Amino acid sequence: MDIFARVRQISLINTTGSILSWDQETYLPSGAADYRAQQLSYLAAHAHELATSAEYLAALDEAESRDTGGNPVHSANLRELRRESDRSIKIPTDLVARESSAQSSAHHAWIKARKEADFSIFAPHLQELLEFATEKAELWGYPGEPYDALLEGFERGTSTATIATMFDTLQAELAPLSANAVAKTREQKPTLPDGPYPISVQQDFNTLVAAEIGFDFHAGRIDTTTHPFCTTLGPSDIRLTTRYESHDFTSSLFGIMHEAGHGMYEQGLPGEDFGLPSGTAVSLGIHESQSRLWENQVGRSPEFWDKFYPIAQEHFKQLKDFPKEKFLQYIHRAEFSPIRVEADEATYDLHIILRFQIERMLLNKEISVAQVPDVWNELFKKSFGFAPANDACGCLQDIHWSMGGIGYFPTYTLGNINAAQLFSAATSDPEISHATSAANYAPLLKWLRENIHAHGGVHDPAALMKKATGSIPETSHYLKHLSARYL
Amino acid sequence: MDIFARVRQISLINTTGSILSWDQETYLPSGAADYRAQQLSYLAAHAHELATSAEYLAALDEAESRDTGGNPVHSANLRELRRESDRSIKIPTDLVARESSAQSSAHHAWIKARKEADFSIFAPHLQELLEFATEKAELWGYPGEPYDALLEGFERGTSTATIATMFDTLQAELAPLSANAVAKTREQKPTLPDGPYPISVQQDFNTLVAAEIGFDFHAGRIDTTTHPFCTTLGPSDIRLTTRYESHDFTSSLFGIMHEAGHGMYEQGLPGEDFGLPSGTAVSLGIHESQSRLWENQVGRSPEFWDKFYPIAQEHFKQLKDFPKEKFLQYIHRAEFSPIRVEADEATYDLHIILRFQIERMLLNKEISVAQVPDVWNELFKKSFGFAPANDACGCLQDIHWSMGGIGYFPTYTLGNINAAQLFSAATSDPEISHATSAANYAPLLKWLRENIHAHGGVHDPAALMKKATGSIPETSHYLKHLSARYL
């Protein structure tokens, strides 16, 4: 088998694992968790074995030696497979096993620590995972600082210094912007008419909206989970999930628009290259740009609601006499909340910047794990004006660290930055701008398909942004968007 | 890895395939079928490779050579693994591949043939599959006739002659019994009050009933499919499906009681032996006995409805003033229908006996494939008094042959026979009889757990029946049950 056949075969196994994980989150009976873990673990080990086998490496060598460079996509695929393979090979198998076991313990400890709002329960586990992260960074190597090596796994070709510079700019601008936005909200006191907003009606409305913006239900579906996500089970099998609040239909709706953004990216990747780098999303920062674009640039725009508010009114009788202007105030409200996942556009990035700063200080050994709660609360107070009531709604709130995901957080804000930059570039075309203003999103999706989706992972994310918009990621479009929305 | 670790690993892969198949029937987006087929095909090939590897066979040899016979379950597991392995090894890999491909073509041809009611479209495919069946029977060998070898795959240790003898008895008795039952129905003209019976209410009622008879929802669930089934995705993950008729809630209810019977068997197998013969259902005839026992012996009994009819009346407002006696007449109605899956207890086995006779004649080369429609119609007319309107509702109605399932049909009637025999044996215990009469089914389920479920595949099905009831399968209890119900 040549290297591509091998990669596609591994992809069959990995997507099979994704089916099992999806089922675990949606429909698995309560007593079936242990056996499901065994099934998943078998598949993961089997895929890992194939991807690190001598035969795999020989096939990659062989393909590289034959590559004439005549087909840039072919060469890019080999380059990326080599990059992934090198990263895998540098980490000894026993380290992978030890880290996986540590993550499992850390995850359980994190659940307990968060429940009891007691950081000391989680601290030794975070210490262990930090040591694994440091060890891996040293094995991988880095141009500037250890955090670079971790970031590379989520946003290849992007340096910590670049992120830090963008985040500094953003933080400086967000301080007055968020204060202003929150003050306006406190003055307007926006509310939504009382529920219940029946869940089945929410589902109908969400499905209608997702289909209207371009999510293909022949190649995907929506189910219900505690934590919303998008997962790819095959080239034409993209599953979204959301959760429902009976008192607020916008919660599940924006959740679905967000996940549909991820899903349309997956649906727009070249299906014939499924499993190969050229058929795979390039990075988390680009992925998140797609979700945030549809959730925020589109879903929270007045133009979107010019078309969809009357339809929402037909679905939810409470909205019948509720003015659209009041509704827009409600979906544009801003507040200083300790919880990231509840944050609005005006404050969300402040949560991310804080996490990035702490992760970076930990990796650079500028602070110890024991200092995390104090540093968290101090930084939080600077941005939000108050300290979280306890660590459960402070440094223990997110699952990421407990899963070893250090270096992941910055891609959320990078997604926001990219979303605004892409939306701005797309709508600089008058035809797209005109259609988008009329809530006709087919031209916008077409632009994203051609400029982002179709390229898969052929270019590095910053290069892809430059190709699409004329510039590598930069904060100006995003700041302009936030100012227009909140000031 | 020892042989049991290998078998358990193969079981992880096979149940993973079952998850994918379950999802395919329940939730798969329409565009995703091709990739799903690739995933399933990879898993099947991978499991087959492991189960026929030199390492597997060496591990089996090794375990056999060490077996002292001191643990009968251990010895039975080795004996059954050897039996399965021998059957697999006798069939060359290329024959498996050729048959699988022929089945796939045959399945498509069957769909077309049934749609167009044109047997000639299916005939060459049936001929091909019959040749495969014959070839395999010769490779496997048989004590009496080729059909024995096929039957062995579904009902090990059972001979065609034994089945034929039981079926002859049954057919002789069913002729007057079915005629009488149908005459009574035509006189009573039983009906159910008009629908709609809302599907969500049907689901609530079915769930209540399934839980009451003992299906464990912590280790299982119910979903909706076109064709009802029960599938095992893990030792505590048994999934049932059914379909809903808005005008008749009893259709989905008896469907669920049937599938829950299968499901409770699976839930009652020794979970610690999952994947091994001792943790696996012994045969189709025993499996079907569990489904038919709960569907017919229990679900269609007047005692069951003494308790559940008032609950049904609370669920479905149409039943409020509809007398229970009329309802019982409705669920005990009998009619000569050309379609097996719509048949009632009084006529069902006539459909099965006809299929068995035709399959046996084909294998014994007493008739040709081209003669199947004529022979079918002739035999059908003898039992039912009329010939089917066309082959679509005659010899083309069932999917089984198109999937190569020759030898499968008799296990349905064997299930009916076993169900009555088991129910009779269990309720010969006055305590169980008393509880069952009061629609308290815990003692009955406990008896089935101890006498059937707990044994997994340790004993041959006939031996298991003898152990549980004192006799190998025999028709008298079933005929007694049918007479009591219909005469």
Side-chain angles (χ1 to χ4, degrees), chain A residues 383-431:
Chain A
S383 289
F384 292 78
F386 67 101
N390 56 49
D391 291 341
C393 54
C395 64
L396 286 171
Q397 69 183 267
D398 291 311
I399 198 175
H400 302 60
W401 292 344
S402 82
M403 300 173 76
I406 300 174
Y408 187 120
F409 281 120
T411 65
Y412 287 120
T413 285
L414 202 51
N416 287 334
I417 292 168
N418 290 338
Q421 189 166 329
L422 289 168
F423 190 77
S424 165
T427 53
S428 71
D429 176 330
E431 208 174 304

Side-chain angles (χ1 to χ4, degrees), chain A residues 308-327:
Chain A
F308 286 99
Y309 194 64
I311 301 173
Q313 287 177 312
E314 286 166 23
H315 280 74
F316 305 110
K317 62 181 186 332
Q318 297 96 321
L319 300 181
K320 193 168 167 263
D321 299 314
F322 189 69
K324 190 179 71 191
E325 292 63 36
K326 291 263 179 200
F327 177 75

Side-chain angles (χ1 to χ4, degrees), chain A residues 15 23 31 42 46 218 239, chain B residues 15 23 31 39 42 46 218 239:
Chain A
T15 50
D23 179 75
Y42 176 79
H46 181 48
H218 296 294
R239 313 245 177 142
Chain B
T15 49
D23 179 75
Q39 292 166 320
Y42 176 78
H46 181 47
H218 296 294
R239 313 240 177 146

